[in-house]
Amino acid sequence: MLKNISKYLTGDLLKILCDMGHGDELVIADANFPAETMGQRVIRCPGMDGSQFLEAILPLFPLDTYTEQPAVVMDLTDGDKAKGMPEPAVWDIYRKLLERAGERADFERMERYAFYERAKKACVVVQTGEERQYGNLLLVKGVV
């Protein structure tokens, strides 16, 4: 055990976060995300939801300040928009966590299949046990 580091962050995960460089991308994936077909490297963290994982990494993981939008969510599908689905509540939680950490709290919204294509190029996909719809969040790593 280490002091002041979340119990959610395993040694393997800490190594990956440390080895990531400026501009590398990390996907916090929900439980329904097709991680095995999308991720070059997949780490499973089924015992936590996406917001718990985000809160655990934010003290260690700087977001890119040179990228227009260093945080990206998968946008609602046209069908869900047509049904009048409101913005997912998990997005507001993500915004509050980012803001509390001193990071930009706005997101780029990316169409589902475009998000999948971008996720395929990410350094790591961390599949959480997040069950809330649209709980996927892509982060671009910055510099210390």
Side-chain angles (χ1 to χ4, degrees):
M1 294 292 295
L2 297 171
K3 292 171 62 175
N4 302 319
I5 294 185
S6 170
K7 66 181 179 178
Y8 294 128
L9 301 180
T10 65
D12 291 339
L13 191 49
L14 285 169
K15 175 160 180 12
I16 291 168
L17 294 175
C18 183
D19 289 348
M20 289 177 69
H22 180 225
D24 281 343
E25 297 182 341
L26 173 145
V27 176
I28 300 173
D30 64 25
N32 293 303
F33 190 82
E36 287 301 319
T37 56
M38 296 297 147
Q40 295 179 39
R41 181 185 304 160
V42 177
I43 299 284
R44 297 202 184 284
C45 296
M48 70 178 109
D49 64 30
S51 57
Q52 290 170 312
F53 182 76
L54 179 61
E55 187 171 28
I57 68 166
L58 279 173
L60 310 172
F61 192 90
L63 294 189
D64 191 12
T65 57
Y66 298 102
T67 301
E68 189 172 326
Q69 296 281 13
V72 181
V73 293
M74 182 188 296
D75 199 7
L76 278 68
T77 64
D78 290 342
D80 284 341
K81 289 176 186 176
K83 293 179 205 169
M85 179 183 277
E87 181 177 282
V90 70
W91 292 1
D92 192 46
I93 295 167
Y94 289 161
R95 275 192 201 96
K96 287 176 181 169
L97 290 170
L98 289 166
E99 192 172 87
R100 188 169 53 199
E103 300 289 355
R104 287 183 49 195
D106 56 331
F107 304 125
E108 175 182 349
R109 295 177 184 205
M110 187 171 279
E111 185 274 332
R112 176 182 172 196
Y113 292 104
F115 189 96
Y116 286 160
E117 288 305 311
R118 190 158 172 188
K120 287 178 184 178
K121 299 173 190 162
C123 183
V124 63
V125 173
V126 179
Q127 185 152 41
T128 67
E130 179 62 67
E131 293 181 3
R132 293 171 284 197
Q133 281 188 297
Y134 295 100
N136 303 299
L137 177 65
L138 183 142
L139 302 173
V140 182
K141 188 174 183 186
V143 297
V144 178

